[in-house]
Amino acid sequence: MGKTMMKRIALASAVVLSSLMSVNTMAAADDAAKAITDRRAVFKLLSFANAPLGGMARGGEFNAEAATEAAERVAMLAGMIPALFATNTAGEVQPGRYIAADRIWDGMDDFNQKAMDLVNGANAALEILNTQGADGVRAAVAEIGPKCGACHDVYRVEQ
Ligand code: HEC
């Protein structure tokens, strides 16, 4: 085989390889974009689910059914957090002012524990509401709100 031919083959393989690599990179970026959209959707729902309890704690009218439903929904949604962070987006472009910190994926045990703390907090809140009714609203909220903040303080950052 002549030298020119070998050069051509080498060049052609390099082109194929680099386009395969960019397809891979694009697929990874798509995965990251989807992961970011999915997890943000669940956090929005967490806020939505938790809002009625917050309102009652700030002096809104107590509604036992709405209060327990809120705690149940928070527990259910919080249980999804670890799975929603299975895709590592460290180093990826994340839109918006507040984003997930890359350190989440340094070791997920602590992050997943903070998600479990929220599940447990919401279940504790449910127990309090079931036993104390309106008198337990503030205590119930105190089981949930700080668990959101504890995770945000470490794993949600401003860019
Ligand atoms: C285990 C950690 C963790 C817990 C617990 C947690 N969050 Fe978050 N939250 C995050 C991270 C990380 C982000 C950033 C996600 C992103 O931008 O991709 C976030 C983002 C959000 C957002 C912004 C979503 C958006 O549209 O950008 C809201 C709202 C939110 N959280 C509400 C809550 C509420 C309410 C609770 C408690 C009921 C809570 N979070 C508990 C980690 C947590």
Side-chain angles (χ1 to χ4, degrees):
M1 205 185 289
K3 250 190 176 173
T4 324
M5 187 57 123
M6 278 170 62
K7 269 190 192 159
R8 277 193 190 147
I9 291 173
L11 186 66
S13 341
V15 169
V16 169
L17 193 65
S18 75
S19 64
L20 282 178
M21 279 162 58
S22 69
V23 166
N24 268 339
T25 314
M26 280 161 61
D30 281 354
D31 285 353
K34 184 180 183 308
I36 293 165
T37 308
D38 287 351
R39 70 196 183 209
R40 287 181 176 177
V42 171
F43 287 122
K44 285 198 178 80
L45 288 177
L46 262 176
S47 277
F48 177 84
N50 193 40
L53 255 185
M56 290 178 219
R58 286 190 299 273
E61 198 183 326
F62 180 70
N63 176 324
E65 202 181 322
T68 54
E69 188 174 61
E72 280 167 2
R73 286 174 172 174
V74 169
M76 191 272 282
L77 291 164
M80 295 173 69
I81 294 175
L84 287 160
F85 283 84
T87 300
N88 183 338
T89 62
E92 298 286 348
V93 176
Q94 299 182 62
R97 182 166 165 202
Y98 292 96
I99 60 168
D102 286 357
R103 70 174 76 94
I104 291 172
W105 293 275
D106 288 350
M108 294 206 60
D109 289 357
D110 182 59
F111 180 80
N112 290 343
Q113 183 56 53
K114 286 186 162 49
M116 271 318 291
D117 290 347
L118 178 57
V119 174
N120 295 334
N123 284 326
L126 187 60
E127 179 70 23
I128 291 169
L129 291 164
N130 281 332
T131 52
Q132 302 175 28
D135 291 342
V137 168
R138 278 168 171 272
V141 167
E143 290 286 348
I144 294 176
K147 309 295 186 334
C148 312
C151 189
H152 290 169
D153 285 350
V154 190
Y155 295 116
R156 190 183 180 205
V157 292
E158 192 171 0
Q159 70 178 351

